[in-house]
Amino acid sequence: MLRFSSSKLVGTLAVIIVGLALAIPSFFSPEQRKAFVASAPSWLTALVPTRAIVLGLDLQGGSQIVLEVDRPDLTRTMAQQLRDDVRRALREEGVQADGGVQITPRGVQLRVSDPAARAKALPKLQALSQPVTDAVLGQTGARTLEVRDEPNGTIQLTFTEAGTNARVRRAVQQAIEVVRRRVDLGGTTEPSIQQQGADRILVQVPGLQDPQRLEEQLGKTAKLEFRMLADSAAGDVDLLPSRDSNGQKVPVERRVMADGADLTDAQPGFDQKTNEPIVNFKFNLRGAQRFGQATSENVGRPMAIVLDNEVVSAPRILQPITGGQGQISGRFTVQQANDLSVLLRAGALPAKLNIIERRTVGPGLGRDSIEAGKLATIAATVLVVTMMFACYGVFGLFANIALMVHVGLILGLMSVLEATMTLPGIAGIVLTIGTAVDSNVLIYERVREEVRAGRSIPSALQAGFDRAFATIVDSNSTMAIAAIILFFMGSGPVRGFAVVFILGILTTVITAVTLTRMMIAVWYHRFRPKVLPI
Amino acid sequence: MRLLRLWPDESHFDFMRLRRFSFPLSALMSVGTLVLFLIIGLNFGIDFKGGTLIELRPKAGQSDVASVRHTANGFGFGETEVQEFGNQGAISIRFPLQAGGETGQTLVMQKAHEAFDRDYAFDRVETVGPRVSGELVQSGTIGVVLSVVAVLLYLWFRFERELALGAIVGTLHDIVLTVGVFVISRIEFNMTSIAAILTIVGYSLNETVVVFDRTRELMRRYKTMPTEELLNRSINSTMSRTVMTATSTALSLVALVLFGGEAIKGFSVVMLIGVVICTYSAIFISSPFLIYIGLQAGGGIRATGRDPAALPQAAE
């Protein structure tokens, strides 16, 4: 019969009231919410929900960038470091490699034709191979390098797959730190930076006005080096483009005298004489010592300030710089000097990052989408509510109340779960408005049938609810399966749609089945109708 | 007060007889879709094709599509599509995927900003690189296949085997025809379209399950009823629900088409057509399909072939 235990009644109402209460903050603007939290006493803010639904970037406007560690670039850097290590190892053993150490696509190779020398060098080279350690797996048993001693006197040092992967993982974690510092120093609000997959970083910045600048800042490695300008292109030199000579290549010594890792601070400023924007920097103790020594040894020679393999400027060293402070000039604009100081403060990226995906939505478009979504929701509600009332009368009214509660519960659950509302999510809500009444329709149609079959009113109501319940479970379960898969396979906004859809299915059971049943039970006991008005 | 009835209370329509028309019609449409799919293909958005999409809005006054088209084509980034859409003079520009890896895409953005920053606001910018788009295709396909398999498993446990098969045939039919809608309408196929298809999978099954739930119930009650009559009865007795739900869902989708904005218009249109397809297939494809497989007319149905206790019972 249509009886409810009072505990069930209270329980259902409590769930609904709490759920709806959670939705309330979302109807106020962020300013109003902030004002409320600031003015209300703390016991009240602890009791009253103040958290609103998080709007996705497609609704509030903003930028999303997916960065990927450039594996080839990272491998190149690794190979260069390996070459330095190999050279040091050879130097320590006093071994000469014929023709030097060459970089190969996946490591380095060298040739030591003297067997005795090779026997001396090999253990040292083998010691360069380290066991791979992984933050998650611990020691994996694999090694970072494969050392092959070939019969013709060539020695190949190749990076293993496991070693490279571990290095990529480390690089991603390091890069996340650097990216976070850069975005924070750029002064934007509430950025979200997370790892995605093995070698990717997802950066989301809401409300960003100038996504291009963010891209430029994130894409730069910001590897700063102080090296000496070489006299000729022969010997241990790199040919690097120079800003002073409009991109023409100039020879720069390979030896790095100091680098950005030793910086403690960098600030934009102006040159006192020329009034040109510059960047002032400060070294830590180690950097100051190295820089001091290098500048005192090379007074009178030009020193190249190399940023990301470009010579920014090459001032002549007039006197030893021992205070650990200096300045970089390079025909900067104020903005460039500002950006460079941010990059230097945040540190260098371990490898180049490529932008593999970017999505930016202007704030105006986001506002338009919200307005359109509101309008569509209201229109859908009016249409469905009218139809339900026209077809089922007072029972339709019950279904409509359940429908409103249903939408409110979705919003409430979304706020408490901190799920993100996206544009497809709004579409999901509108769609849910259409499908949510399905459960009620199933029940009502069943009740009609049972009445036609000659059952008494209470027994027809009872049978309608009971019989329809199995169908409701089956139909909602199949929808839920599709929605859950959508959640796991989808990305970004589509996920938002899946969340709404899953929550919609969950709340249907509470509203369409339990809540309507209660309303009908109360109504029946109050009026005792002789004929069912449906 | 007289209540509105969208479908008569008592109906005895012979739905099963229409299978002589509906099956050839659906077969024709499915084959047609397949052929068109192979010849024309889907209008893939940049999610799946890679490339750059830019939406511009004039900062003041009118937008000049012709000049934007001329400028954009002049960049030399290959086949560039420039379209006007919506009613506020918004312009969308689509650049194909550029060679030269990720930096190629960045170059497109720089050029575009140089050319249009003065007169237009950048409402939306999306760039998807080649690897990302490949992965999105992959995960989208896996998603659809996985959902069909998962649902099949669920139905297998909850229903008789024939009913599960009937539901799957109906669902596949709906997926194929929905893809056909995308092929013919040239509505852009992107991540949101995958969402539309999966939702249609859900809706399609919902429709079929409601009818089959009734079929199962009647199978137990009338053990000797011929299959055709049984199915006709199931459909007729659930028809008022089917019409109601289809109407309410369609109404809300109409609201979405009319007021939801440009960004989800394609999604809403496809969903709207999808609801019609799903309703049609639940009645004219999934159910008559049962006649063809195993549930022969005239014979006792094998509803008692299993332990009835293993099947979910509606409480009496």
Side-chain angles (χ1 to χ4, degrees):
Chain A
M1 286 297 287
L2 288 166
R3 243 173 245 294
F4 272 91
S5 67
S6 50
S7 61
K8 198 171 175 184
L9 195 92
V10 170
T12 311
L13 286 179
V15 166
I16 289 170
I17 288 168
V18 168
L20 292 182
L22 289 171
I24 292 173
S26 299
F27 289 96
F28 293 95
S29 72
E31 292 79 37
Q32 286 170 315
R33 284 201 308 276
K34 264 196 208 110
F36 173 76
V37 173
S39 64
S42 59
W43 61 264
L44 188 63
T45 49
L47 279 177
V48 177
T50 49
R51 199 187 279 161
I53 290 179
V54 186
L55 292 181
L57 290 184
D58 56 344
L59 291 180
Q60 60 170 317
S63 292
Q64 164 180 316
I65 296 174
V66 181
L67 301 157
E68 188 180 57
V69 169
D70 189 324
R71 250 173 199 265
D73 183 66
L74 184 66
T75 320
R76 253 193 316 276
T77 313
M78 283 165 67
Q80 274 161 13
Q81 283 165 355
L82 182 62
R83 184 181 59 184
D84 293 346
D85 290 344
V86 168
R87 276 185 183 153
R88 188 162 6 96
L90 294 180
R91 226 180 6 252
E92 279 167 18
E93 293 302 313
V95 174
Q96 278 280 326
D98 325 346
V101 184
Q102 276 102 38
I103 288 181
T104 64
R106 300 216 41 206
V108 300
Q109 69 174 13
L110 64 156
R111 209 179 134 88
V112 184
S113 37
D114 175 19
R118 198 156 80 239
K120 221 162 68 171
L122 259 178
K124 268 277 181 187
L125 294 180
Q126 256 141 8
L128 291 175
S129 175
Q130 308 254 315
V132 175
T133 48
D134 187 292
V136 188
L137 305 168
Q139 294 248 345
T140 55
R143 299 189 73 81
T144 52
L145 280 177
E146 195 194 346
V147 183
R148 258 209 328 269
D149 179 20
E150 279 166 21
N152 63 359
T154 311
I155 301 171
Q156 298 256 11
L157 291 92
T158 325
F159 300 118
T160 60
E161 194 67 33
T164 314
N165 286 343
R167 181 64 185 264
V168 168
R169 269 195 301 277
R170 268 211 310 282
V172 169
Q173 275 147 20
Q174 244 175 301
I176 287 177
E177 282 311 307
V178 176
V179 166
R180 175 162 297 135
R181 280 199 297 270
R182 285 186 187 177
V183 176
D184 284 348
L185 287 169
T188 38
T189 49
E190 297 173 54
S192 137
I193 298 152
Q194 349 166 338
Q195 182 164 356
Q196 200 183 48
D199 51 3
R200 292 185 185 165
I201 303 169
L202 171 72
V203 183
Q204 292 183 309
V205 187
L208 186 70
Q209 296 298 321
D210 189 359
Q212 260 208 310
R213 204 175 140 207
L214 175 75
E215 280 175 27
E216 274 162 24
Q217 286 207 351
L218 296 189
K220 285 218 172 93
T221 318
K223 194 165 82 178
L224 180 72
E225 291 165 338
F226 298 93
R227 291 150 74 167
M228 296 315 296
L229 216 58
D231 301 326
S232 71
D236 242 3
V237 298
D238 287 322
L239 283 172
L240 299 178
S242 160
R243 242 190 239 188
D244 282 344
S245 45
N246 292 321
Q248 268 189 332
K249 298 209 166 173
V250 296
V252 180
E253 281 184 12
R254 271 211 185 116
R255 199 161 72 92
V256 177
M257 299 186 312
D259 60 36
D262 288 329
L263 288 184
T264 55
D265 194 16
Q267 292 292 341
F270 291 94
D271 188 277
Q272 280 167 354
K273 275 176 253 157
T274 60
N275 219 17
E276 173 183 81
I278 51 159
V279 175
N280 292 307
F281 62 85
K282 248 185 230 162
F283 273 123
N284 62 16
L285 196 62
R286 189 176 81 117
Q289 275 172 356
R290 287 175 66 185
F291 197 65
Q293 197 188 351
T295 46
S296 47
E297 280 169 10
N298 293 292
V299 172
R301 290 183 62 197
M303 181 180 64
I305 301 172
V306 182
L307 182 70
D308 288 342
N309 288 323
E310 185 200 19
V311 179
V312 176
S313 62
R316 204 165 286 279
I317 300 169
L318 299 174
Q319 59 194 53
I321 304 167
T322 48
Q325 292 191 17
Q327 55 175 234
I328 306 171
S329 59
R331 301 184 197 167
F332 300 122
T333 62
V334 175
Q335 171 97 73
Q336 280 171 332
N338 216 352
D339 286 353
L340 178 59
S341 66
V342 166
L343 291 179
L344 292 179
R345 263 180 291 159
L349 287 173
K352 223 175 103 199
L353 295 180
N354 290 324
I355 296 168
I356 55 168
E357 192 185 332
R358 66 160 82 71
R359 293 176 198 267
T360 301
V361 171
L365 187 62
R367 257 196 311 280
D368 288 356
S369 296
I370 295 180
E371 285 311 313
K374 274 187 192 158
L375 194 59
T377 311
I378 292 169
T381 312
V382 169
L383 287 172
V384 172
V385 162
T386 312
M387 189 191 81
M388 285 302 279
F389 185 68
C391 291
Y392 296 116
V394 66
F395 276 43
L397 212 59
F398 295 149
N400 287 336
I401 295 172
L403 177 68
M404 304 294 184
V405 174
H406 168 84
V407 173
L409 281 184
I410 294 181
L411 297 178
L413 280 174
M414 286 191 78
S415 331
V416 80
L417 293 176
E418 293 185 26
T420 310
M421 179 64 91
T422 63
L423 186 56
I426 293 184
I429 289 199
V430 175
L431 186 64
T432 313
I433 291 172
T435 50
V437 293
D438 183 48
S439 306
N440 282 119
V441 172
L442 270 168
I443 296 166
Y444 295 168
E445 290 299 329
R446 195 73 203 217
V447 172
R448 278 181 175 174
E449 268 183 63
E450 301 296 336
V451 170
R452 280 202 302 276
R455 287 205 192 213
S456 71
I457 293 175
S459 120
L461 286 174
Q462 183 76 46
F465 274 99
D466 287 343
R467 292 246 170 108
F469 188 69
T471 316
I472 292 171
V473 167
D474 276 330
S475 67
N476 281 310
S477 306
T478 47
M479 292 245 234
I481 291 173
I484 288 169
I485 288 171
L486 190 57
F487 178 78
F488 283 110
M489 303 306 296
S491 66
V494 174
R495 232 167 212 230
F497 173 76
V499 168
V500 169
F501 215 59
I502 294 167
L503 293 178
I505 292 161
L506 283 179
T507 55
T508 297
V509 181
I510 300 175
T511 56
V513 182
T514 316
L515 181 63
T516 0
R517 190 175 182 150
M518 265 166 28
M519 286 190 283
I520 289 174
V522 170
W523 166 84
Y524 181 76
H525 289 300
R526 177 94 176 70
F527 293 103
R528 299 271 167 198
K530 299 279 178 288
V531 190
L532 267 193
I534 64 170
Chain B
M1 187 180 71
R2 261 188 60 80
L3 296 177
L4 184 70
R5 287 281 195 277
L6 297 179
W7 188 261
D9 280 345
E10 293 283 340
S11 69
H12 302 281
F13 194 81
D14 189 357
F15 290 103
M16 287 307 111
R17 235 184 57 189
L18 288 176
R19 72 175 188 272
R20 287 181 194 97
F21 303 102
S22 67
F23 268 77
L25 178 70
S26 282
L28 200 72
M29 288 194 292
S30 305
V31 171
T33 296
L34 204 70
V35 170
L36 287 177
F37 178 78
L38 291 176
I39 297 174
I40 317 175
L42 288 164
N43 176 21
F44 281 115
I46 60 160
D47 283 347
F48 296 136
K49 216 167 50 177
T52 304
L53 168 84
I54 297 172
E55 279 178 28
L56 301 174
R57 196 195 303 233
K59 279 184 178 163
Q62 298 276 307
S63 60
D64 186 351
V65 190
S67 104
V68 168
R69 180 174 292 130
H70 183 77
T71 316
N73 277 320
F75 292 161
F77 286 125
E79 201 182 317
T80 305
E81 283 172 48
V82 180
Q83 275 175 340
E84 196 170 4
F85 74 97
N87 38 21
Q88 290 163 331
I91 299 175
S92 79
I93 313 174
R94 273 212 268 172
F95 296 99
L97 196 62
Q98 297 300 307
E102 270 62 26
T103 43
Q105 326 301 324
T106 309
L107 204 64
V108 175
M109 286 306 308
Q110 283 170 354
K111 279 264 196 177
H113 273 288
E114 274 168 29
F116 303 121
D117 258 344
R118 210 165 54 89
D119 299 324
Y120 296 93
F122 281 61
D123 253 0
R124 179 196 299 275
V125 172
E126 295 189 2
T127 302
V128 181
R131 277 189 42 205
V132 175
S133 61
E135 285 162 28
L136 288 177
V137 170
Q138 203 184 5
S139 68
T141 316
I142 294 174
V144 174
V145 172
L146 213 64
S147 72
V148 173
V149 172
V151 164
L152 179 69
L153 283 175
Y154 175 79
L155 292 175
W156 211 279
F157 283 114
R158 289 287 280 162
F159 286 83
E160 284 78 356
R161 194 171 38 136
E162 288 82 357
L163 297 184
L165 273 175
I168 285 297
V169 165
T171 306
L172 289 178
H173 168 268
D174 296 348
I175 293 176
V176 169
L177 289 196
T178 308
V179 170
V181 172
F182 276 108
V183 173
I184 293 168
S185 67
R186 309 311 293 153
I187 290 173
E188 190 181 291
F189 195 87
N190 49 30
M191 271 316 279
T192 325
S193 312
I194 294 282
I197 288 192
L198 283 179
T199 316
I200 284 172
V201 169
Y203 191 85
S204 166
L205 283 159
N206 187 33
E207 287 305 294
T208 318
V209 161
V210 168
V211 176
F212 283 6
D213 235 36
R214 187 57 69 94
T215 308
R216 186 172 55 180
E217 189 185 322
L218 293 178
M219 267 161 68
R220 286 190 203 121
R221 201 183 305 163
Y222 308 102
K223 298 207 164 73
T224 55
M225 189 184 281
T227 309
E228 289 203 33
E229 197 192 329
L230 184 84
L231 292 170
N232 268 332
R233 263 207 201 200
S234 313
I235 296 174
N236 273 305
S237 53
T238 50
M239 201 56 197
S240 43
R241 191 254 23 148
T242 306
V243 173
M244 277 296 291
T245 302
T247 311
S248 72
T249 311
L251 282 179
S252 51
L253 286 169
V254 165
L256 211 48
V257 172
L258 293 180
F259 308 113
E262 284 301 318
I264 44 172
K265 195 168 212 159
F267 171 84
S268 331
V269 170
V270 171
M271 284 296 302
L272 188 56
I273 303 173
V275 166
V276 177
I277 296 174
C278 291
T279 313
Y280 156 82
S281 84
I283 299 167
F284 294 106
I285 299 296
S286 306
S287 293
F289 180 77
L290 298 179
I291 300 174
Y292 292 117
I293 55 151
L295 287 184
Q296 291 95 348
I301 298 158
R302 39 179 300 279
T304 51
R306 276 186 204 188
D307 179 11
L311 298 165
Q313 292 279 343
E316 286 291 327

